[in-house]
Amino acid sequence: MDEEPERAKRWEGGYERTWEVLKEDESGSLKATVEDILFQAKRKRVFEGHGQVRLGMMRHLFVIIDSSRSMEDQDLKPNRLTSTLKLMEFFVEEYFDQNPISQIGIITTKNKRAEKLTDLAGNPKKHLAALKKVVDSTCVGEPSLYNSLNCVALPSGTEIKEILVIFSSLTTCDPANIYELIKTLNALKIRVSVIGLSAEVRVCTILTRETGGSYNVILDESHFKELLMLHVKPPPASSSSECSLIRMGFPQHVIASMSDQDAKPSFSMSHLDSTGEPGLTLGGYYCPQCRAKYTELPVECKVCGLTLVSAPHLARSFHHLFPLEAFQETPLEEYEGERFCEACQGELKDKSVFTCLACKKVFCVECDLFIHDTLHCCPGCMQTDRTS
Amino acid sequence: FRLNIEGLLVYFPTLDAKGHGVLEMPSGTGKTISLLSLIVAYHKAYPLEVTKLVYCSRTVPEIEKVVEELRKLMDYYAKQTGAKNDFLALALSSRKNLCIHPEILHANIVVYSYHYLLDPKIADLVSKELTKKSVVVFDEAHNIDNVCIDSMSVNITRRTLDRCQTNVETLQNTISRIKETDAAKLREYRRLVEGLKEANVARETDMYLSNPVLPDEILQEAVPGSIRTAEHFVGFIKHFLEYLKARLRIHHVVQESAPQFLKDIYEKVCIDRKPLRFCAERLRSLLRTLEIADIADFSAITLISHFATLVSTYSKGFTIIIEPFEDRTPTIANPVLHFSCMDPSIAIKPVFGRFQSVIITSGTLSPLDIYPRILDFRPVTTASFTMTLARTCLCPLIVGRGNDQVAMTSKFETREDFAVIRNYGNLLLEMSAIVPDGIVAFFTSYIYMENIVASWYEQGILENIQRNKLIFIETQDAAETSMALEKYQEACENGRGAILLSVARGKVSEGIDFVHHFGRAVIMFGVPYVYTQSRILKARLEYLRDQFQIRENYFLTFDAMRHVAQCVGRAIQGKTDYGLMIFADKRYARADKRGKLPRWIQEHLTDGSLNLTIDETVQLAKYFLRQMAQPFRQEDQLGLSLLTLEQLQSEDMLQKIAQIAQQA
C-alpha cells in the first residue's frame, strides 16, 4: 500500500525539475530560459578546449566504477548501477572511436574492496563483455576510494595518466590516509576526475583539485551522459610531460584466398589469453617486426611490444590536435541572407545561426554540433577547396 | 559585496545622527569588515566626530577573527593611499594578553570581549576611560541581554561563603600586621570622609564611564562612620557573612525582593541599608590601602561586597531566590542564593548613555523590535539584511511528520512517544544516506538527547546510521566535546562522513562554525525552549510581563527561535558555502515561530517547504545538493552579489542600491 503513492511522488519529483527550470526571467518570458539552458549546454562543449594545447594522444585511462550499496538507489532508472553501466558501454565505444590508439581499464569497488574488472587494453569488445557481466552483480557494502586508486597506482610499470571515478556513495572506507595517496598520485602525474552521482563530497573535491582533474556531480541522466562524454576528449597534457617518439607498426591486412594452397589457417596471438572463440582464421594483421598474427587492431604486439595501428586510426586521433575552429554565432534576426543551412539544407529556425569563419557559410545548431563533434571539418570549406 | 554597500548606506545615518542602531546581517557576508571599514572611513573623514571605535565580540576566536579582518583592511588602506596609516588598533582578547596599559587611551580601535564593557567589575578597570565620542559595536549580540544579566547577577553558594570567610581572615591578619609596622598607612579615614568626591567630579566632568554598581547618590555622600576604619569594616563584613550563612541554612525555597531582604537583614542583625551600599567601594579602597596585589584571591569577598551594594541600591529589577537544593538532585543539600538581575537594561544603560553611537549586530537578531524593548533604548536605525545571492545556497525545510503521518514534535506530552522518536531516527537515517560529509544535529537538551539516542540504539536505528556515517556526541564535558569535535572534523575531511549530535545552547551551537563540508546539513530536533520550571526564569518572565508588556510566551518563543537561528546559522558561512537547514518539528510551520526566524532564512522558506514528510524532505534535499554541487565560479556572482568598480559607479546600480536601502 505504501508503495503506490511513493512511486507517484518520485515521478512527480522528476517532473518538478522542468518547472524548476521554467523560471520567469525579468521580462516574464518563459520559453527563453529553457531553450537557453539546452542551448548553452550544447554549445559548451564546442567552445571548450580550443586554443593551442598539447593533447596526449595515447591515453591510458582507468575507469573506477563504484558498485556499493548506494548504486541500488533508484533515482536513475531503473537503478544507478544499470544506468551507469549502460552509459559506460556507450562511453567505451565512443572512447575508442575518438581515441583509437588509446587503452582503457575498468575497476569496480564494493564491500571495501577494489576489483580489477579488465586490465588496460585497447579492445572495446572485451570491456563491453565485462561490463555486461557486472549488471547482474549485487551492490553491497561501501566503496573504497583508497583501495581502488591504489589498485591503479601501484603497478607503476604501465604509464597510466588518467583515472575516472564514477562515485555514487557519499562515504569511502579507507585503510590508510587517503591524503598520502593523493600526494603519490600527484607525484606520478596521474589525473583523477570524478563524476559524483549524489552530491559533492569533500574528499573528491580535494582529490580532483590536487591532481588536476575535474569534478562534476550529475543532475539527471542526460546530464550524466553529457559529463561522461566530456571525458571522451583527451585532456591537455601537462607541459612538463616529455614528448616521446613511439615506434609503431602499420601491418597490412593479408587475406589469404582459399584457393591459395600455401595458406593455412592459424591462431591469432590475441586468442592466447582469451578463452572464448578460439577460431582459426586465414587472414589477419601480421606484425611487421616479428610476424605475429593478430585479427584486430589496434593492439600491442605480444611478442615484440610494438604498437600496431592502422593508418586511419592515427588519422582519426589527429583531429584533436587541429580542432575545427568554433563558428561565429549570430542571432537569426541579424542574419541577412539565405535562410538555408549549408549542410542539411533545412530552413534556419533556431534563434542563432552559425557562420564558418573561413568560408562564410552558415549552418544551423544541429549541423554546427555535428560538424564539430563528428566531422571535424567544415563541409563548406571542403567544397570551396574542391572547386577552386 | 553588495550587501556591504546596502549596509553602509543604512548605517551611515546612524553615525550622522549620533544614535544607536540594530542591524541583522547573515553571517559570512562581511558584516565585520563592512562595519570596520565604514567606521574607519568615517573617522578619516571626520576625525573630530568619531574618535574611537570599540568593537566588542563574544569569544576569543571571534575577537581574533575581527583582528584579522582589521589587519586586511589596514593593508588595503596602506596599499591604496600609499601612506603609512596612523591607526593604532588594540585587541584585548584573553587573559594572557590582558593589558591595562594607558595606551588604550590612544588607540583608535579597541577590540575586546563584551565583558570588558558590560561587567561592572572589569569595565571599571578597562573601559572607564573611553571617550564619549567613541562608537561601540556589539557583534554577535543576539545574547546580549543574557550577558547583561549575567554580569549583574550574583550566585552565592556555601563554598563562596567559606572562601569569603578565609578572605576576611586574611584581611584581618594583614590589617593587624600593618598596624604594628606602619600605622600611618591605615589613615585613609580622611579620604573616606571626603567621600567619593573624586569619583563624583570625574563623573560630572564626564571623564569616565559610569559604573552601574556605583549609584549616583553614594557619590555625594561620605562613607558612613560604621565602616570607616578598617577593623570596623572587616567586622561589618563578618557580620554580613554570618547573616548570609544563616539564610542559606533553609529547607525550602525562598523568593523575595530586594527591599524584603533589606528589611529582614535589618530586623535580624541590625545591618542598615546605607553601609551595605558602600561595601564594594569600601572594600576596594581597603584593598588598595593594604596594597594587595593579587586581587584574584579575593574574588569571593569582592563578590559578596558587590552583592551587598547591588541589593541595597536597586529596589527594582532584581530578585533573590534561595534554593536549598538543585531541582535535579533534591536529596543533596546544596543551598544557593541567586541574586538575579531581571532587567538587562541596567547593565547596558551606562553604555547607551555615554557613547554617541552603539551598534548592536548579529546574524540572528530577529525579531528586531524586541531588542530595543528589553534593553530599553531607542534605535535610530533597525535593519535586517538578506543575502544577495547568485544562487540559493541555503535550503530551509520544515519536516512536520514522518512517513507514517505521525506528527513530529518535541512537545512535552509527545516527546517520549515511541513513534516520534522513531520518526526522528528515520529522518536522521535518511539524511545520513544522502548528505555528504558532515551533518550537525541539535537536540533541545542533554537529557532528551540521551533518551533518544538510547531509544535509537534499542530500535537498531543507530546501527543503520553508522553504516552511512560515524556518530559523535557532544557531552557536558568540555574536553570530551572538543575531542569529539576534532574527530568529527577528521571524519568529514577524509571522506568517511560524520554526524555530530549536540545540544542547542551547548558549546557547539554557539561560536563553532561548520564551514563547507563540516556542515552540509543542520537538523534541529524539536524547539529548544528554555527550562521553564526554573525559578529565576519564572521571575524574569514575570518581570518582563509587568515592566515591558512582553508576554511570557512571546519571550520564550523568541528565545527559542534565536537559538534555533544560531544553530542552523552555523552551517552557512558565506556565499560560496551551502547547506540544508532542517527543522524537525511541526511547530516550526506556525507563523509565530516562522516569523521569528531571521529574514535571510525566512526568505527562502517557501510554502512548499512547510510540514513535509521525511520522503518529501529527502527528495528536496537530494535535488538541492545536486544543484549546489554544480561548479560555481566567482564570475557568476558578478553583477548579482559582487560588484566591480565600474558597476558600482554606474548610475542605475546606485539607484537600485538606494532603493533597497530605503526598503530596509
Side-chain angles (χ1 to χ4, degrees):
Chain A
M1 187 201 119
D2 222 351
E3 204 62 3
E4 216 36 54
E6 172 78 351
R7 196 155 295 161
K9 243 170 252 152
R10 287 241 168 106
W11 172 78
E12 237 169 36
Y15 223 81
E16 244 169 24
R17 270 171 217 161
T18 49
W19 292 110
E20 202 68 40
V21 175
L22 264 175
K23 271 184 186 137
E24 291 184 31
D25 60 6
E26 265 171 314
S27 55
S29 82
L30 276 177
K31 66 164 207 253
T33 20
V34 185
E35 264 175 21
D36 262 3
I37 289 166
L38 292 174
F39 196 66
Q40 291 304 331
K42 274 186 182 171
R43 292 280 297 165
K44 205 163 71 186
R45 259 210 295 164
V46 180
F47 275 113
E48 272 171 11
H50 282 284
Q52 290 293 331
V53 280
R54 290 198 338 180
L55 300 172
M57 284 289 66
M58 283 186 68
R59 298 175 66 186
H60 295 90
L61 172 74
F62 252 110
V63 184
I64 297 171
I65 302 173
D66 177 359
S67 55
S68 62
R69 187 157 41 93
S70 61
M71 283 304 262
E72 278 174 349
D73 200 311
Q74 296 178 350
D75 55 0
L76 299 176
K77 300 293 171 234
N79 65 14
R80 283 186 187 175
L81 184 73
T82 320
S83 173
T84 306
L85 291 174
K86 209 169 66 199
L87 286 172
M88 269 312 294
E89 282 176 28
F90 186 69
F91 173 75
V92 169
E93 274 169 21
E94 196 77 352
Y95 176 85
F96 283 114
D97 190 50
Q98 303 276 320
N99 312 281
I101 53 171
S102 302
Q103 296 187 329
I104 206 169
I106 302 171
I107 287 173
T108 59
T109 170
K110 65 181 171 191
N111 224 350
K112 301 167 193 161
R113 283 188 185 80
E115 186 192 338
K116 205 172 254 185
L117 206 64
T118 56
D119 221 330
L120 272 186
N123 192 337
K125 274 185 194 152
K126 218 168 82 186
H127 298 299
L128 292 179
L131 282 174
K132 285 221 168 68
K133 252 184 261 168
V134 183
V135 178
D136 302 321
S137 68
T138 49
C139 305
V140 279
E142 293 146 347
S144 173
L145 213 50
Y146 185 94
N147 283 343
S148 36
L149 288 176
N150 212 19
C151 188
V152 181
L154 263 189
S156 47
T158 48
E159 34 165 346
I160 301 131
K161 285 276 172 272
E162 289 173 74
I163 298 173
L164 172 65
V165 186
I166 295 175
F167 200 58
S168 152
S169 174
L170 293 170
T171 74
T172 152
C173 190
D174 300 335
N177 189 355
I178 192 156
Y179 289 92
E180 294 295 321
L181 186 65
I182 293 177
K183 264 186 218 151
T184 323
L185 289 171
N186 210 1
L188 288 170
K189 295 210 181 64
I190 296 177
R191 196 183 117 110
V192 186
S193 297
V194 179
I195 295 179
L197 299 191
S198 27
E200 183 189 352
V201 181
R202 177 66 177 183
V203 90
C204 298
T205 318
I206 305 259
L207 175 66
T208 50
R209 200 174 57 203
E210 292 295 311
T211 58
S214 65
Y215 183 28
N216 295 93
V217 174
I218 63 157
L219 288 173
D220 47 36
E221 204 166 334
S222 60
H223 191 224
F224 187 11
K225 187 169 171 185
E226 203 175 295
L227 291 175
L228 208 52
M229 288 311 125
L230 286 180
H231 290 276
V232 168
K233 208 171 182 176
S238 59
S239 52
S240 60
S241 71
E242 74 229 48
C243 300
S244 50
L245 292 172
I246 296 169
R247 275 177 75 96
M248 280 185 183
F250 295 90
Q252 288 270 316
H253 193 225
V254 182
I255 307 162
S257 62
M258 278 300 203
S259 56
D260 192 348
Q261 292 298 313
D262 295 339
K264 296 177 193 76
S266 59
F267 292 109
S268 138
M269 290 300 282
S270 55
H271 289 147
L272 280 178
D273 51 356
S274 71
T275 47
E277 43 169 328
L280 288 165
T281 44
L282 276 173
Y285 300 96
Y286 291 91
C287 172
Q289 209 160 258
C290 62
R291 304 297 296 165
K293 186 179 122 175
Y294 296 94
T295 42
E296 270 169 348
L297 289 183
V299 74
E300 192 176 317
C301 178
K302 288 204 166 23
V303 180
C304 60
L306 189 70
T307 310
L308 304 178
V309 291
S310 70
H313 283 145
L314 206 57
R316 257 195 293 167
S317 319
F318 197 60
H319 74 256
H320 291 300
L321 293 173
F322 300 100
L324 186 61
E325 250 180 90
F327 288 173
Q328 190 191 0
E329 182 180 349
T330 29
L332 188 61
E333 301 93 74
E334 285 172 33
Y335 170 71
E336 287 160 8
E338 284 182 68
R339 303 229 153 177
F340 287 104
C341 168
E342 187 66 27
C344 63
Q345 302 296 312
E347 197 187 344
L348 292 169
K349 282 178 291 198
D350 300 300
K351 63 175 192 148
S352 301
V353 295
F354 299 87
T355 318
C356 172
L357 293 172
C359 64
K360 306 287 176 213
K361 297 271 164 56
V362 288
F363 300 94
C364 66
V365 189
E366 292 300 330
C367 292
D368 173 56
L369 287 170
F370 181 71
I371 290 166
H372 281 97
D373 287 349
T374 317
L375 282 184
H376 305 291
C377 60
C378 169
C381 297
M382 290 299 182
Q383 214 166 25
T384 12
D385 279 353
R386 207 158 295 158
T387 46
S388 61
Chain B
F1 289 111
R2 172 151 152 199
L3 186 99
N4 245 331
I5 302 152
E6 292 163 20
L8 300 190
L9 278 186
V10 178
Y11 179 65
F12 211 66
T14 324
L15 279 182
D16 269 342
K18 302 193 170 69
H20 310 312
V22 179
L23 298 180
E24 179 185 67
M25 287 193 213
S27 49
T29 49
K31 180 175 53 196
T32 315
I33 189 80
S34 62
L35 280 175
L36 283 175
S37 55
L38 181 74
I39 299 172
V40 169
Y42 201 90
H43 174 79
K44 290 224 173 214
Y46 313 97
L48 293 175
E49 295 287 316
V50 176
T51 53
K52 191 175 288 194
L53 164 67
V54 182
Y55 200 97
C56 304
S57 201
R58 200 178 39 186
T59 55
V60 176
E62 270 160 14
I63 291 170
E64 276 159 8
K65 246 192 279 175
V66 174
V67 174
E68 195 49 47
E69 296 274 350
L70 195 59
R71 201 163 284 149
K72 266 188 236 157
L73 183 69
M74 289 303 158
D75 283 351
Y76 183 73
Y77 259 106
K79 221 192 293 167
Q80 290 290 306
T81 56
K84 201 183 165 301
N85 63 67
D86 48 353
F87 265 69
L88 181 60
L90 190 67
L92 302 176
S93 52
S94 56
R95 182 169 290 172
K96 62 173 190 257
N97 307 340
L98 181 62
C99 145
I100 327 173
H101 197 264
E103 214 173 331
I104 192 170
L105 285 172
H106 311 296
N108 297 99
I109 299 171
V110 186
V111 184
Y112 53 40
S113 150
Y114 293 165
H115 298 279
Y116 289 156
L117 205 54
L118 291 178
D119 195 325
K121 294 156 235 156
I122 314 174
D124 232 30
L125 286 175
V126 184
S127 315
K128 67 177 177 186
E129 285 165 357
L130 296 175
T131 58
K132 190 171 177 2
K133 282 180 176 165
S134 307
V135 173
V136 178
V137 178
F138 288 104
D139 199 355
E140 305 291 333
H142 44 272
N143 267 339
I144 196 164
D145 54 324
N146 290 338
V147 176
C148 290
I149 283 174
D150 283 348
S151 72
M152 295 297 279
S153 298
V154 179
N155 290 333
I156 298 170
T157 60
R158 201 166 267 167
R159 244 183 92 210
T160 327
L161 292 181
D162 290 343
R163 275 178 35 220
C164 188
Q165 188 82 42
T166 358
N167 287 164
V168 169
E169 273 154 26
T170 330
L171 271 184
Q172 212 157 17
N173 292 342
T174 326
I175 289 169
S176 52
R177 204 175 58 237
I178 290 182
K179 209 169 186 182
E180 282 162 19
T181 57
D182 188 5
K185 233 185 182 177
L186 280 176
R187 281 193 204 123
E188 43 178 355
Y189 193 81
R190 217 172 60 93
R191 206 173 70 219
L192 295 175
V193 180
E194 281 175 12
L196 304 161
K197 261 192 195 137
E198 198 188 325
N200 195 20
V201 170
R203 184 173 295 184
E204 270 166 7
T205 53
D206 198 45
M207 271 177 68
Y208 293 155
L209 170 69
S210 62
N211 183 340
V213 179
L214 201 64
D216 278 335
E217 306 96 74
I218 68 164
L219 291 176
Q220 274 125 36
E221 295 172 42
V223 173
S226 56
I227 56 168
R228 259 178 225 172
T229 67
E231 292 99 331
H232 288 172
F233 176 64
V234 171
F236 173 82
I237 288 278
K238 265 166 112 179
H239 222 72
F240 183 58
L241 212 57
E242 286 307 317
Y243 169 74
L244 287 179
K245 273 187 182 166
R247 285 305 301 268
L248 281 184
R249 242 172 269 131
I250 50 159
H251 299 291
H252 55 94
V253 179
V254 178
Q255 178 174 2
E256 57 187 17
S257 66
Q260 274 170 323
F261 181 82
L262 288 176
K263 191 161 163 272
D264 188 64
I265 197 172
Y266 184 69
E267 280 167 2
K268 292 233 175 77
V269 287
C270 288
I271 290 182
D272 206 359
R273 184 179 170 193
K274 206 172 162 197
L276 272 180
R277 272 163 121 190
F278 286 88
C279 252
E281 206 47 41
R282 183 65 188 87
L283 179 75
R284 199 197 321 241
S285 143
L286 181 67
L287 289 177
R288 218 182 292 138
T289 321
L290 294 179
E291 288 169 349
I292 292 167
D294 201 359
I295 305 177
D297 287 345
F298 288 88
S299 60
I301 193 165
T302 320
L303 192 75
I304 298 286
S305 71
H306 272 116
F307 167 62
T309 307
L310 283 172
V311 78
S312 51
T313 309
Y314 295 100
S315 53
K316 252 175 61 180
F318 288 86
T319 190
I320 295 163
I321 296 167
I322 308 174
E323 286 176 319
F325 45 73
E326 273 182 48
D327 276 343
R328 281 182 206 135
T329 52
T331 45
I332 306 160
N334 179 26
V336 187
L337 184 145
H338 300 283
F339 175 68
S340 111
C341 173
M342 295 182 296
D343 190 349
S345 63
I346 293 174
I348 205 168
K349 202 168 162 195
V351 177
F352 280 125
R354 173 156 176 82
F355 299 112
Q356 69 174 27
S357 294
V358 178
I359 289 100
I360 293 183
T361 173
S362 171
T364 53
L365 276 178
S366 295
L368 286 172
D369 59 315
I370 198 164
Y371 283 90
R373 269 164 86 188
I374 56 176
L375 295 177
D376 197 23
F377 73 101
R378 193 154 297 153
V380 179
T381 39
T382 49
S384 170
F385 299 104
T386 60
M387 281 197 259
T388 321
L389 295 168
R391 58 173 190 175
T392 335
C393 73
L394 49 113
C395 177
L397 300 170
I398 297 175
V399 190
R401 58 222 149 90
N403 290 339
D404 48 5
Q405 302 298 325
V406 174
M408 246 197 250
T409 173
S410 71
K411 221 169 21 186
F412 188 74
E413 300 86 58
T414 58
R415 59 161 59 180
E416 301 299 333
D417 195 338
F418 191 71
V420 171
I421 294 179
R422 191 188 54 220
N423 275 337
Y424 274 155
N426 281 340
L427 176 64
L428 190 61
L429 177 61
E430 295 282 341
M431 294 319 287
S432 73
I434 58 158
V435 177
D437 301 327
I439 299 179
V440 189
F442 288 100
F443 292 86
T444 52
S445 68
Y446 285 105
I447 306 166
Y448 190 49
M449 176 165 78
E450 276 165 30
N451 286 346
I452 285 199
V453 171
S455 175
W456 284 350
Y457 177 73
E458 281 162 21
Q459 296 173 30
I461 294 175
L462 219 51
E463 199 187 333
N464 285 336
I465 294 175
Q466 264 172 330
R467 294 218 311 235
N468 295 326
K469 286 189 194 307
L470 304 179
I471 298 177
F472 296 94
I473 297 183
E474 182 196 3
T475 61
Q476 270 154 316
D477 184 339
E480 235 172 69
T481 304
S482 60
M483 181 76 176
L485 208 61
E486 198 181 295
K487 292 289 165 204
Y488 166 80
Q489 286 174 339
E490 203 184 308
C492 293
E493 191 69 49
N494 63 26
R496 185 68 188 84
I499 298 176
L500 184 68
L501 303 179
S502 54
V503 169
R505 294 164 199 281
K507 185 184 163 218
V508 172
S509 70
E510 297 235 354
I512 293 174
D513 294 336
F514 296 97
V515 284
H516 297 283
H517 57 291
F518 293 130
R520 281 292 179 228
V522 177
I523 308 178
M524 267 310 307
F525 290 112
V527 185
Y529 283 115
V530 285
Y531 174 61
T532 48
Q533 298 306 306
S534 146
R535 287 179 190 88
I536 302 173
L537 182 72
K538 276 183 176 163
R540 189 172 168 206
L541 287 176
E542 221 164 86
Y543 183 82
L544 281 175
R545 190 188 55 202
D546 296 344
Q547 296 297 316
F548 298 113
Q549 287 79 48
I550 296 171
R551 279 183 299 112
E552 285 106 327
N553 244 335
Y554 185 82
F555 182 77
L556 285 175
T557 313
F558 151 73
D559 184 63
M561 290 315 285
R562 71 173 164 188
H563 278 102
V564 171
Q566 266 305 300
C567 292
V568 297
R570 299 291 101 207
I572 302 279
Q573 303 287 333
K575 296 181 178 184
T576 51
D577 204 353
Y578 63 87
L580 285 161
M581 299 175 169
I582 294 167
F583 304 91
D585 194 312
K586 77 168 196 226
R587 288 176 290 173
Y588 282 114
R590 283 194 215 147
D592 67 318
K593 306 276 186 305
R594 211 160 21 118
K596 288 190 182 64
L597 281 172
R599 215 178 98 189
W600 55 277
I601 296 180
Q602 262 186 63
E603 190 176 60
H604 296 286
L605 203 56
T606 53
D607 286 341
S609 50
L610 305 177
N611 201 17
L612 303 165
T613 63
I614 294 176
D615 271 351
E616 287 161 350
T617 314
V618 169
Q619 283 306 321
L620 286 171
K622 250 185 185 173
Y623 178 61
F624 171 75
L625 287 169
R626 283 199 174 141
Q627 286 284 316
M628 285 301 114
Q630 299 311 310
F632 182 61
R633 293 176 313 246
Q634 182 131 36
E635 302 92 74
D636 296 338
Q637 296 189 8
L638 272 180
L640 272 167
S641 55
L642 269 178
L643 296 179
T644 57
L645 194 62
E646 295 91 72
Q647 279 171 319
L648 187 58
Q649 281 161 348
S650 74
E651 195 59 38
D652 55 327
M653 195 48 96
L654 284 177
Q655 271 175 7
K656 219 166 160 183
I657 294 168
Q659 207 178 354
I660 296 166
Q662 240 153 33
Q663 281 168 4

